[in-house]
Amino acid sequence: MLEGVSLWRTTREEYSFDLKRSLFAVLSGRFRKARRRKVLDNVDLRIEPGEKVGLIGPNGAGKSTLLKVICGILTPQEGKLVADGRIAPLIEFGAGFDVDLSVVDNIELYGTLLGRPRSEMLRKVDDILEFAELEDYRDATVRSLSSGMKARLGFAVATDMEPEILVLDEVLAVGDESFRKKSRRRIDRLWQDHVTVVLVSHDMRLIHEMCDRAIWMVDGAIRHDGPAEETTAAYFADVEASATEKIARTRAQLGIA
Amino acid sequence: MGQSWDLLKVLTRRTVRARYRGSSLGIYWSLLGPLLTTVAYTAIFGRVFAKYYGGSLFLYAVGVFVGLTVANFFVGSTAQALASVVVNGELLNKMRLPMALFPLSTIAAWTFQVAAGSLPFLLVLSIAITRDPLHVLAVPLPFVALVLLSTGVGFFMSALYVFFRDVPYMYDFVTFLAWSTTPVFYPAAIVPERIRAILECNPLYPIVEGARETVVAGSVLDPWMFAQALGEGALVAVAGYAFFRALRPRFMDLI
């Protein structure tokens, strides 16, 4: 549940990472504080347990930022967030791998980073290796795995738990055809009734299929919130309208009737 | 709490393994550098400085080794801790993790190396040289102070590095200054009285002198020096963490 959440971020382009230059700037009175941009603007959002919510909207609308707030990676300056339940952030599989460590060590490392007890991860190593079809690569370094294998390993570790809240950022398809089927089954299993899901995607069909509610974000604010079909339809209508308008404007500029 | 502990363990192990990739004798390899340096210093300065160690070249060599162990730990662990938050930026952007774990696990990895590598060696030397259980028991004390000091400086530098990426160059200079004002290969006694008072402001000074006293010196231990070292270490650790904590909310925009 989010209540009046606003978040500003310092724009990296304007920030000077140079201590020497910053000191001189302060001394010569030319110091300028880097501007901060409002990325989330007073977002109120209540998601009920078990709801499957899709987030849509143009690039830069704040969808991923919202996910990061829900996961607790970013802390908003205003408003508050209440999340009840174990959150599984599936923002990108394998982000916590250390490629120079062995597969087994990485299962332990990545699982612990994702918030599970180390002892539990050590117990589950065999299950995970089996699911990822990497039993023969136990002691190989992750560097030596192919990118498909890495993705499989990341998927197997990240989804090997019973989260109460699942947060996904365009990461449903992994590996070759047979593994994709298997991973789809696992996703379906994770998609059980009691699990709350927040999914960011540009794939409207996916949102349609997998979610029962969709939120359309524009410029850090919620533009529309409702049943998936309704929101996606409104989004499409808007995209089409702005496209038509653009065409009309171009035509007018070119003097075409 | 249990989760943070688990995280500290896996991250520390990752750092230790990264250093000793592919060699099970890794930790003993890390002794080789200081040992060779000790030989070099002993060959060059041994004859001149041995008289401060009762004329014993061996005791001078042990004194140098102790100094190197302390100074290298400080320089190496804080330099690695400095980068620890920024280097893990990608990870921090993808999962919620307690950020303090990154500098902490770096220091923990170095502590583990010293505890498994040099420390047993120093304990044996202390037994052989002082034959005094009190000296032997006191050997780890200066290292506790050293770990506290390095933790504080590590916190401070890692937070600063998030904001200013040219900090490592300046820090190189700072560590060089710390290194050369620490009596590593020269005895503190050769430094003129007035200047020595300045050197004593270097927090590494009481640590090196304390550690050396426990291993080499036949004299009675000076509890005041240990208390000073521990107190300074604790103070720096607390101040460093407070600085880190105060700036932490602004980290994520810049990494």
Side-chain angles (χ1 to χ4, degrees), chain B residues 168-193:
Chain B
Y169 306 107
M170 293 171 215
Y171 191 62
D172 277 349
F173 175 71
V174 172
T175 50
F176 177 74
L177 209 63
W179 208 96
S180 46
T181 55
T182 307
V184 172
F185 63 88
Y186 56 85
I190 65 159
V191 183
E193 201 76 43

PDB file of all heavy atoms in Angstrom, chain B residues 168-193:
ATOM      1  N   PRO B 168      39.659   8.668  -4.665  1.00  0.00           N
ATOM      2  CA  PRO B 168      40.755   7.702  -4.522  1.00  0.00           C
ATOM      3  C   PRO B 168      42.141   8.304  -4.707  1.00  0.00           C
ATOM      4  O   PRO B 168      43.084   7.917  -4.016  1.00  0.00           O
ATOM      5  CB  PRO B 168      40.464   6.678  -5.620  1.00  0.00           C
ATOM      6  CG  PRO B 168      39.011   6.738  -5.801  1.00  0.00           C
ATOM      7  CD  PRO B 168      38.627   8.169  -5.570  1.00  0.00           C
ATOM      8  N   TYR B 169      42.271   9.281  -5.634  1.00  0.00           N
ATOM      9  CA  TYR B 169      43.593   9.868  -5.858  1.00  0.00           C
ATOM     10  C   TYR B 169      44.067  10.593  -4.610  1.00  0.00           C
ATOM     11  O   TYR B 169      45.216  10.511  -4.210  1.00  0.00           O
ATOM     12  CB  TYR B 169      43.559  10.838  -7.040  1.00  0.00           C
ATOM     13  CG  TYR B 169      43.001  10.196  -8.273  1.00  0.00           C
ATOM     14  CD1 TYR B 169      41.734  10.512  -8.732  1.00  0.00           C
ATOM     15  CD2 TYR B 169      43.741   9.225  -8.954  1.00  0.00           C
ATOM     16  CE1 TYR B 169      41.214   9.888  -9.852  1.00  0.00           C
ATOM     17  CE2 TYR B 169      43.226   8.599 -10.069  1.00  0.00           C
ATOM     18  CZ  TYR B 169      41.963   8.938 -10.508  1.00  0.00           C
ATOM     19  OH  TYR B 169      41.436   8.308 -11.600  1.00  0.00           O
ATOM     20  N   MET B 170      43.118  11.330  -3.996  1.00  0.00           N
ATOM     21  CA  MET B 170      43.488  12.044  -2.784  1.00  0.00           C
ATOM     22  C   MET B 170      43.750  11.064  -1.647  1.00  0.00           C
ATOM     23  O   MET B 170      44.633  11.265  -0.826  1.00  0.00           O
ATOM     24  CB  MET B 170      42.374  13.007  -2.377  1.00  0.00           C
ATOM     25  CG  MET B 170      42.236  14.128  -3.385  1.00  0.00           C
ATOM     26  SD  MET B 170      40.779  15.094  -3.048  1.00  0.00           S
ATOM     27  CE  MET B 170      40.306  15.486  -4.725  1.00  0.00           C
ATOM     28  N   TYR B 171      42.957   9.997  -1.642  1.00  0.00           N
ATOM     29  CA  TYR B 171      43.132   9.030  -0.559  1.00  0.00           C
ATOM     30  C   TYR B 171      44.493   8.332  -0.657  1.00  0.00           C
ATOM     31  O   TYR B 171      45.103   8.019   0.354  1.00  0.00           O
ATOM     32  CB  TYR B 171      41.999   8.008  -0.558  1.00  0.00           C
ATOM     33  CG  TYR B 171      42.008   7.174   0.703  1.00  0.00           C
ATOM     34  CD1 TYR B 171      41.838   7.775   1.941  1.00  0.00           C
ATOM     35  CD2 TYR B 171      42.233   5.807   0.666  1.00  0.00           C
ATOM     36  CE1 TYR B 171      41.887   7.033   3.104  1.00  0.00           C
ATOM     37  CE2 TYR B 171      42.274   5.055   1.822  1.00  0.00           C
ATOM     38  CZ  TYR B 171      42.098   5.675   3.033  1.00  0.00           C
ATOM     39  OH  TYR B 171      42.146   4.954   4.196  1.00  0.00           O
ATOM     40  N   ASP B 172      44.958   8.110  -1.874  1.00  0.00           N
ATOM     41  CA  ASP B 172      46.303   7.556  -2.052  1.00  0.00           C
ATOM     42  C   ASP B 172      47.325   8.395  -1.310  1.00  0.00           C
ATOM     43  O   ASP B 172      48.215   7.879  -0.643  1.00  0.00           O
ATOM     44  CB  ASP B 172      46.681   7.531  -3.547  1.00  0.00           C
ATOM     45  CG  ASP B 172      46.108   6.313  -4.233  1.00  0.00           C
ATOM     46  OD1 ASP B 172      45.624   5.407  -3.524  1.00  0.00           O
ATOM     47  OD2 ASP B 172      46.138   6.272  -5.477  1.00  0.00           O
ATOM     48  N   PHE B 173      47.168   9.690  -1.450  1.00  0.00           N
ATOM     49  CA  PHE B 173      48.097  10.594  -0.782  1.00  0.00           C
ATOM     50  C   PHE B 173      47.970  10.502   0.742  1.00  0.00           C
ATOM     51  O   PHE B 173      48.960  10.454   1.461  1.00  0.00           O
ATOM     52  CB  PHE B 173      47.856  12.028  -1.259  1.00  0.00           C
ATOM     53  CG  PHE B 173      48.695  13.033  -0.537  1.00  0.00           C
ATOM     54  CD1 PHE B 173      50.068  13.106  -0.759  1.00  0.00           C
ATOM     55  CD2 PHE B 173      48.132  13.883   0.399  1.00  0.00           C
ATOM     56  CE1 PHE B 173      50.848  14.012  -0.086  1.00  0.00           C
ATOM     57  CE2 PHE B 173      48.912  14.793   1.083  1.00  0.00           C
ATOM     58  CZ  PHE B 173      50.279  14.861   0.844  1.00  0.00           C
ATOM     59  N   VAL B 174      46.721  10.454   1.209  1.00  0.00           N
ATOM     60  CA  VAL B 174      46.483  10.362   2.660  1.00  0.00           C
ATOM     61  C   VAL B 174      47.105   9.087   3.232  1.00  0.00           C
ATOM     62  O   VAL B 174      47.775   9.114   4.271  1.00  0.00           O
ATOM     63  CB  VAL B 174      44.966  10.404   2.977  1.00  0.00           C
ATOM     64  CG1 VAL B 174      44.712  10.113   4.450  1.00  0.00           C
ATOM     65  CG2 VAL B 174      44.394  11.761   2.607  1.00  0.00           C
ATOM     66  N   THR B 175      46.902   7.957   2.535  1.00  0.00           N
ATOM     67  CA  THR B 175      47.456   6.702   3.063  1.00  0.00           C
ATOM     68  C   THR B 175      48.978   6.723   3.001  1.00  0.00           C
ATOM     69  O   THR B 175      49.647   6.193   3.881  1.00  0.00           O
ATOM     70  CB  THR B 175      46.937   5.465   2.304  1.00  0.00           C
ATOM     71  OG1 THR B 175      47.094   5.684   0.913  1.00  0.00           O
ATOM     72  CG2 THR B 175      45.499   5.192   2.630  1.00  0.00           C
ATOM     73  N   PHE B 176      49.521   7.372   1.975  1.00  0.00           N
ATOM     74  CA  PHE B 176      50.982   7.470   1.913  1.00  0.00           C
ATOM     75  C   PHE B 176      51.501   8.252   3.115  1.00  0.00           C
ATOM     76  O   PHE B 176      52.490   7.877   3.748  1.00  0.00           O
ATOM     77  CB  PHE B 176      51.422   8.141   0.618  1.00  0.00           C
ATOM     78  CG  PHE B 176      52.913   8.320   0.532  1.00  0.00           C
ATOM     79  CD1 PHE B 176      53.737   7.226   0.287  1.00  0.00           C
ATOM     80  CD2 PHE B 176      53.492   9.554   0.747  1.00  0.00           C
ATOM     81  CE1 PHE B 176      55.113   7.372   0.249  1.00  0.00           C
ATOM     82  CE2 PHE B 176      54.867   9.714   0.710  1.00  0.00           C
ATOM     83  CZ  PHE B 176      55.687   8.618   0.452  1.00  0.00           C
ATOM     84  N   LEU B 177      50.797   9.329   3.425  1.00  0.00           N
ATOM     85  CA  LEU B 177      51.176  10.155   4.577  1.00  0.00           C
ATOM     86  C   LEU B 177      51.067   9.338   5.869  1.00  0.00           C
ATOM     87  O   LEU B 177      51.962   9.355   6.716  1.00  0.00           O
ATOM     88  CB  LEU B 177      50.243  11.364   4.648  1.00  0.00           C
ATOM     89  CG  LEU B 177      50.813  12.625   5.271  1.00  0.00           C
ATOM     90  CD1 LEU B 177      51.978  13.145   4.456  1.00  0.00           C
ATOM     91  CD2 LEU B 177      49.719  13.684   5.366  1.00  0.00           C
ATOM     92  N   ALA B 178      49.958   8.604   6.009  1.00  0.00           N
ATOM     93  CA  ALA B 178      49.760   7.780   7.207  1.00  0.00           C
ATOM     94  C   ALA B 178      50.869   6.741   7.314  1.00  0.00           C
ATOM     95  O   ALA B 178      51.403   6.477   8.385  1.00  0.00           O
ATOM     96  CB  ALA B 178      48.397   7.101   7.159  1.00  0.00           C
ATOM     97  N   TRP B 179      51.213   6.165   6.158  1.00  0.00           N
ATOM     98  CA  TRP B 179      52.233   5.121   6.128  1.00  0.00           C
ATOM     99  C   TRP B 179      53.591   5.671   6.550  1.00  0.00           C
ATOM    100  O   TRP B 179      54.282   5.098   7.379  1.00  0.00           O
ATOM    101  CB  TRP B 179      52.336   4.566   4.703  1.00  0.00           C
ATOM    102  CG  TRP B 179      52.782   3.146   4.643  1.00  0.00           C
ATOM    103  CD1 TRP B 179      51.982   2.056   4.552  1.00  0.00           C
ATOM    104  CD2 TRP B 179      54.130   2.671   4.665  1.00  0.00           C
ATOM    105  NE1 TRP B 179      52.743   0.923   4.522  1.00  0.00           N
ATOM    106  CE2 TRP B 179      54.070   1.274   4.588  1.00  0.00           C
ATOM    107  CE3 TRP B 179      55.374   3.282   4.754  1.00  0.00           C
ATOM    108  CZ2 TRP B 179      55.189   0.468   4.585  1.00  0.00           C
ATOM    109  CZ3 TRP B 179      56.510   2.480   4.756  1.00  0.00           C
ATOM    110  CH2 TRP B 179      56.411   1.081   4.678  1.00  0.00           C
ATOM    111  N   SER B 180      53.941   6.820   5.996  1.00  0.00           N
ATOM    112  CA  SER B 180      55.294   7.306   6.276  1.00  0.00           C
ATOM    113  C   SER B 180      55.426   7.943   7.658  1.00  0.00           C
ATOM    114  O   SER B 180      56.527   8.043   8.176  1.00  0.00           O
ATOM    115  CB  SER B 180      55.760   8.277   5.185  1.00  0.00           C
ATOM    116  OG  SER B 180      54.746   9.193   4.893  1.00  0.00           O
ATOM    117  N   THR B 181      54.296   8.335   8.261  1.00  0.00           N
ATOM    118  CA  THR B 181      54.406   8.871   9.621  1.00  0.00           C
ATOM    119  C   THR B 181      54.213   7.784  10.674  1.00  0.00           C
ATOM    120  O   THR B 181      54.188   8.063  11.866  1.00  0.00           O
ATOM    121  CB  THR B 181      53.374   9.988   9.880  1.00  0.00           C
ATOM    122  OG1 THR B 181      52.075   9.482   9.595  1.00  0.00           O
ATOM    123  CG2 THR B 181      53.645  11.200   9.030  1.00  0.00           C
ATOM    124  N   THR B 182      54.035   6.545  10.214  1.00  0.00           N
ATOM    125  CA  THR B 182      53.945   5.435  11.157  1.00  0.00           C
ATOM    126  C   THR B 182      55.323   4.792  11.276  1.00  0.00           C
ATOM    127  O   THR B 182      55.957   4.536  10.253  1.00  0.00           O
ATOM    128  CB  THR B 182      52.933   4.382  10.635  1.00  0.00           C
ATOM    129  OG1 THR B 182      51.716   5.031  10.342  1.00  0.00           O
ATOM    130  CG2 THR B 182      52.691   3.299  11.663  1.00  0.00           C
ATOM    131  N   PRO B 183      55.782   4.559  12.491  1.00  0.00           N
ATOM    132  CA  PRO B 183      57.110   3.942  12.621  1.00  0.00           C
ATOM    133  C   PRO B 183      57.080   2.483  12.200  1.00  0.00           C
ATOM    134  O   PRO B 183      56.987   1.586  13.038  1.00  0.00           O
ATOM    135  CB  PRO B 183      57.435   4.087  14.105  1.00  0.00           C
ATOM    136  CG  PRO B 183      56.138   4.339  14.786  1.00  0.00           C
ATOM    137  CD  PRO B 183      55.206   4.915  13.788  1.00  0.00           C
ATOM    138  N   VAL B 184      57.129   2.242  10.882  1.00  0.00           N
ATOM    139  CA  VAL B 184      57.092   0.876  10.386  1.00  0.00           C
ATOM    140  C   VAL B 184      58.498   0.290  10.368  1.00  0.00           C
ATOM    141  O   VAL B 184      58.774  -0.726  10.988  1.00  0.00           O
ATOM    142  CB  VAL B 184      56.463   0.819   8.975  1.00  0.00           C
ATOM    143  CG1 VAL B 184      56.610  -0.577   8.382  1.00  0.00           C
ATOM    144  CG2 VAL B 184      55.000   1.214   9.021  1.00  0.00           C
ATOM    145  N   PHE B 185      59.404   0.967   9.667  1.00  0.00           N
ATOM    146  CA  PHE B 185      60.744   0.390   9.542  1.00  0.00           C
ATOM    147  C   PHE B 185      61.783   1.197  10.314  1.00  0.00           C
ATOM    148  O   PHE B 185      62.926   0.808  10.417  1.00  0.00           O
ATOM    149  CB  PHE B 185      61.146   0.253   8.072  1.00  0.00           C
ATOM    150  CG  PHE B 185      61.238   1.565   7.354  1.00  0.00           C
ATOM    151  CD1 PHE B 185      62.421   2.293   7.368  1.00  0.00           C
ATOM    152  CD2 PHE B 185      60.151   2.069   6.650  1.00  0.00           C
ATOM    153  CE1 PHE B 185      62.512   3.501   6.703  1.00  0.00           C
ATOM    154  CE2 PHE B 185      60.243   3.274   6.001  1.00  0.00           C
ATOM    155  CZ  PHE B 185      61.413   4.004   6.019  1.00  0.00           C
ATOM    156  N   TYR B 186      61.360   2.371  10.842  1.00  0.00           N
ATOM    157  CA  TYR B 186      62.292   3.114  11.688  1.00  0.00           C
ATOM    158  C   TYR B 186      61.766   3.097  13.124  1.00  0.00           C
ATOM    159  O   TYR B 186      60.555   3.073  13.334  1.00  0.00           O
ATOM    160  CB  TYR B 186      62.455   4.552  11.192  1.00  0.00           C
ATOM    161  CG  TYR B 186      61.160   5.343  11.085  1.00  0.00           C
ATOM    162  CD1 TYR B 186      60.629   6.019  12.195  1.00  0.00           C
ATOM    163  CD2 TYR B 186      60.451   5.412   9.885  1.00  0.00           C
ATOM    164  CE1 TYR B 186      59.457   6.743  12.099  1.00  0.00           C
ATOM    165  CE2 TYR B 186      59.272   6.126   9.784  1.00  0.00           C
ATOM    166  CZ  TYR B 186      58.774   6.795  10.888  1.00  0.00           C
ATOM    167  OH  TYR B 186      57.609   7.497  10.809  1.00  0.00           O
ATOM    168  N   PRO B 187      62.633   3.092  14.099  1.00  0.00           N
ATOM    169  CA  PRO B 187      62.168   3.133  15.480  1.00  0.00           C
ATOM    170  C   PRO B 187      61.697   4.540  15.828  1.00  0.00           C
ATOM    171  O   PRO B 187      62.298   5.525  15.377  1.00  0.00           O
ATOM    172  CB  PRO B 187      63.408   2.771  16.303  1.00  0.00           C
ATOM    173  CG  PRO B 187      64.570   2.867  15.376  1.00  0.00           C
ATOM    174  CD  PRO B 187      64.097   2.976  13.979  1.00  0.00           C
ATOM    175  N   ALA B 188      60.620   4.615  16.579  1.00  0.00           N
ATOM    176  CA  ALA B 188      60.071   5.927  16.933  1.00  0.00           C
ATOM    177  C   ALA B 188      61.092   6.773  17.689  1.00  0.00           C
ATOM    178  O   ALA B 188      61.046   8.006  17.645  1.00  0.00           O
ATOM    179  CB  ALA B 188      58.815   5.753  17.776  1.00  0.00           C
ATOM    180  N   ALA B 189      62.044   6.088  18.307  1.00  0.00           N
ATOM    181  CA  ALA B 189      63.019   6.799  19.135  1.00  0.00           C
ATOM    182  C   ALA B 189      63.921   7.737  18.331  1.00  0.00           C
ATOM    183  O   ALA B 189      64.490   8.681  18.877  1.00  0.00           O
ATOM    184  CB  ALA B 189      63.863   5.786  19.906  1.00  0.00           C
ATOM    185  N   ILE B 190      64.070   7.506  17.027  1.00  0.00           N
ATOM    186  CA  ILE B 190      64.970   8.373  16.259  1.00  0.00           C
ATOM    187  C   ILE B 190      64.323   9.706  15.911  1.00  0.00           C
ATOM    188  O   ILE B 190      64.976  10.631  15.462  1.00  0.00           O
ATOM    189  CB  ILE B 190      65.461   7.710  14.943  1.00  0.00           C
ATOM    190  CG1 ILE B 190      64.284   7.486  13.984  1.00  0.00           C
ATOM    191  CG2 ILE B 190      66.194   6.410  15.213  1.00  0.00           C
ATOM    192  CD1 ILE B 190      64.714   7.326  12.546  1.00  0.00           C
ATOM    193  N   VAL B 191      63.001   9.778  16.097  1.00  0.00           N
ATOM    194  CA  VAL B 191      62.295  11.010  15.725  1.00  0.00           C
ATOM    195  C   VAL B 191      62.482  12.053  16.835  1.00  0.00           C
ATOM    196  O   VAL B 191      62.317  11.722  18.013  1.00  0.00           O
ATOM    197  CB  VAL B 191      60.795  10.728  15.520  1.00  0.00           C
ATOM    198  CG1 VAL B 191      60.060  11.979  15.068  1.00  0.00           C
ATOM    199  CG2 VAL B 191      60.601   9.604  14.527  1.00  0.00           C
ATOM    200  N   PRO B 192      62.851  13.290  16.486  1.00  0.00           N
ATOM    201  CA  PRO B 192      63.023  14.331  17.505  1.00  0.00           C
ATOM    202  C   PRO B 192      61.763  14.479  18.355  1.00  0.00           C
ATOM    203  O   PRO B 192      60.643  14.373  17.836  1.00  0.00           O
ATOM    204  CB  PRO B 192      63.255  15.594  16.677  1.00  0.00           C
ATOM    205  CG  PRO B 192      63.714  15.118  15.345  1.00  0.00           C
ATOM    206  CD  PRO B 192      63.146  13.760  15.142  1.00  0.00           C
ATOM    207  N   GLU B 193      61.978  14.760  19.609  1.00  0.00           N
ATOM    208  CA  GLU B 193      60.900  14.831  20.600  1.00  0.00           C
ATOM    209  C   GLU B 193      59.686  15.620  20.113  1.00  0.00           C
ATOM    210  O   GLU B 193      58.550  15.164  20.174  1.00  0.00           O
ATOM    211  CB  GLU B 193      61.461  15.474  21.878  1.00  0.00           C
ATOM    212  CG  GLU B 193      60.676  15.174  23.139  1.00  0.00           C
ATOM    213  CD  GLU B 193      60.936  13.761  23.647  1.00  0.00           C
ATOM    214  OE1 GLU B 193      62.112  13.318  23.647  1.00  0.00           O
ATOM    215  OE2 GLU B 193      59.962  13.109  24.019  1.00  0.00           O
TER     216      GLU B 193
END
